[in-house]
Amino acid sequence: MSREAFIVDGVRTPFGKYGGALSGVRPDDLAAHVIRSLTARNATVDWAAVDDVVFGCANQAGEDNRNVARMAALLGGLPEGVPGTTVNRLCGSGLDAVASAARAIRAGEAHLVVAGGVESMSRAPFVMPKATSAFSRTAEVYDTTIGWRFVNRFMREGWGTDSMPETAENVASAFGISRQAQDEFALRSQERAAKSRARLALEIAPIEAFEKDEPPRDTSLEKLAALPTPFREGGTVTAGNASPVNDGAAALLVASEAAIARYGLTPLARIDGAAAAGVPPRIMGWVRCPPPGGCSTGSASHSVTSMWSS
């Protein structure tokens, strides 16, 4: 029997910049907010019939620990009988949550799944390891916002511990991506985000009077070109052409054909499949396409998402 999985609705918070408008909101409250908003937008659904809540979360070092998906489901008003699980594929965690939901539906094991992701970089805590000996006089403290902590020395020796912007520098060097090309891409992204505000507003659930994404900036090629390259001397990656560090949450309702018919839902998109590919950690921003055919510009024969490790 052929089964298909569909996205029928989605909602998100506005994205807040690091230390910005959402820095005072706990990540479990961010996730609960989008779940609560999703249920309000779909009043015909029997929310006690939801088979699972799957959320991606890359940090899980602070208020987002101990299965933030389950905490958010309860805080968001879902019945106690609705389970929750949190997945971590770092930068690809939210996508992995949606893929897991679709696979469960396509396997006939679920009909309704809430899938999404949450992160608060602003509230990521400092952590420190326990002492390995009595009366230890050494202490290490790690910032969990991004990057490595509690590094295994064999990992460092075998693959290195490049930070995210350093891996971007590695990609730029290995594949000949110029500073100008990166700045032009960054400017185009900012301009498209600004032009899309009206469309994006349809998917945003305002929180605490905060209604618009903070990251889009009013910039220019001249301003971008003037920024320093703090991650490598003579490098190409700057604060203007690198990805921002944000706070926010999103939730999708993924449903089977039977659930769509039962609750009178309208599908927005069909999920045909998902895949992950491993790449060397030092160039984690590169997408490797599997055979047959591989990937080429303009080709739609393969849909591959690179799930990164930092």
Side-chain angles (χ1 to χ4, degrees):
M1 179 180 177
S2 175
R3 301 181 179 92
E4 294 183 315
F6 298 88
I7 297 172
V8 297
D9 198 12
V11 63
R12 66 176 177 88
T13 67
F15 289 117
K17 64 183 181 181
Y18 184 81
L22 292 180
S23 60
V25 185
R26 290 172 56 108
D28 46 4
D29 287 331
L30 289 173
H33 176 73
V34 290
I35 291 175
R36 197 178 300 114
S37 300
L38 191 66
T39 60
R41 286 163 56 123
N42 296 275
T44 63
V45 172
D46 176 8
W47 290 96
V50 171
D51 295 289
D52 208 354
V53 175
V54 187
F55 262 62
C57 184
N59 203 324
Q60 302 181 53
E63 297 156 339
D64 48 11
N65 78 98
R66 293 294 190 266
N67 196 359
V68 68
R70 171 65 171 168
M71 304 302 109
L74 294 171
L75 293 168
L78 294 184
E80 292 180 355
V82 176
T85 186
T86 304
V87 299
N88 189 346
R89 207 189 280 270
L90 296 187
C91 296
S93 298
L95 286 172
D96 216 25
V98 176
S100 295
R103 289 175 184 132
I105 290 172
R106 289 164 65 89
E109 297 175 346
H111 288 284
L112 283 173
V113 181
V114 175
V118 62
E119 218 72 58
S120 176
M121 294 290 94
S122 295
R123 300 180 70 84
F126 291 101
V127 296
M128 61 186 300
K130 292 180 178 179
T132 56
S133 62
F135 307 108
S136 173
R137 285 176 169 77
T138 61
E140 295 177 283
V141 178
Y142 301 94
D143 182 353
T144 68
T145 304
I146 57 173
W148 296 85
R149 59 257 193 186
F150 305 110
V151 176
N152 185 316
R153 69 179 180 86
F154 296 111
M155 187 72 191
R156 181 188 293 110
E157 293 166 4
W159 292 273
T161 54
D162 297 55
S163 67
M164 293 178 68
E166 286 173 333
T167 66
E169 290 283 13
N170 293 339
V171 169
S173 176
F175 298 98
I177 305 171
S178 68
R179 165 74 179 270
Q180 181 177 347
Q182 293 175 64
D183 286 349
E184 289 174 349
F185 186 94
L187 179 62
R188 186 163 61 251
S189 297
Q190 299 283 355
E191 291 173 341
R192 288 177 174 176
K195 291 178 181 178
S196 301
R197 280 197 182 275
R199 170 63 185 86
L200 295 176
L202 300 176
E203 63 190 35
I204 291 176
I207 179 169
E208 298 191 353
F210 177 44
E211 298 180 350
K212 295 181 179 179
D213 295 328
E214 282 186 300
R217 305 290 181 88
D218 181 14
T219 189
S220 66
L221 281 178
E222 291 72 24
K223 291 179 180 178
L224 290 169
L227 294 173
T229 57
F231 311 111
R232 182 169 300 172
E233 185 177 352
T236 61
V237 179
T238 73
N241 60 31
S243 56
V245 179
N246 295 333
D247 307 330
L252 303 176
L253 181 59
V254 185
S256 67
E257 291 179 275
I260 287 172
R262 180 173 182 178
Y263 300 114
L265 303 171
T266 302
L268 300 176
R270 184 180 68 242
I271 304 173
D272 286 333
V279 299
R282 67 178 307 275
I283 53 170
M284 69 173 190
W286 174 57
V287 176
R288 186 185 74 183
C289 296
C295 290
S296 60
T297 303
S299 171
S301 60
H302 297 280
S303 176
V304 178
T305 299
S306 175
M307 300 303 190
W308 304 333
S309 62
S310 65

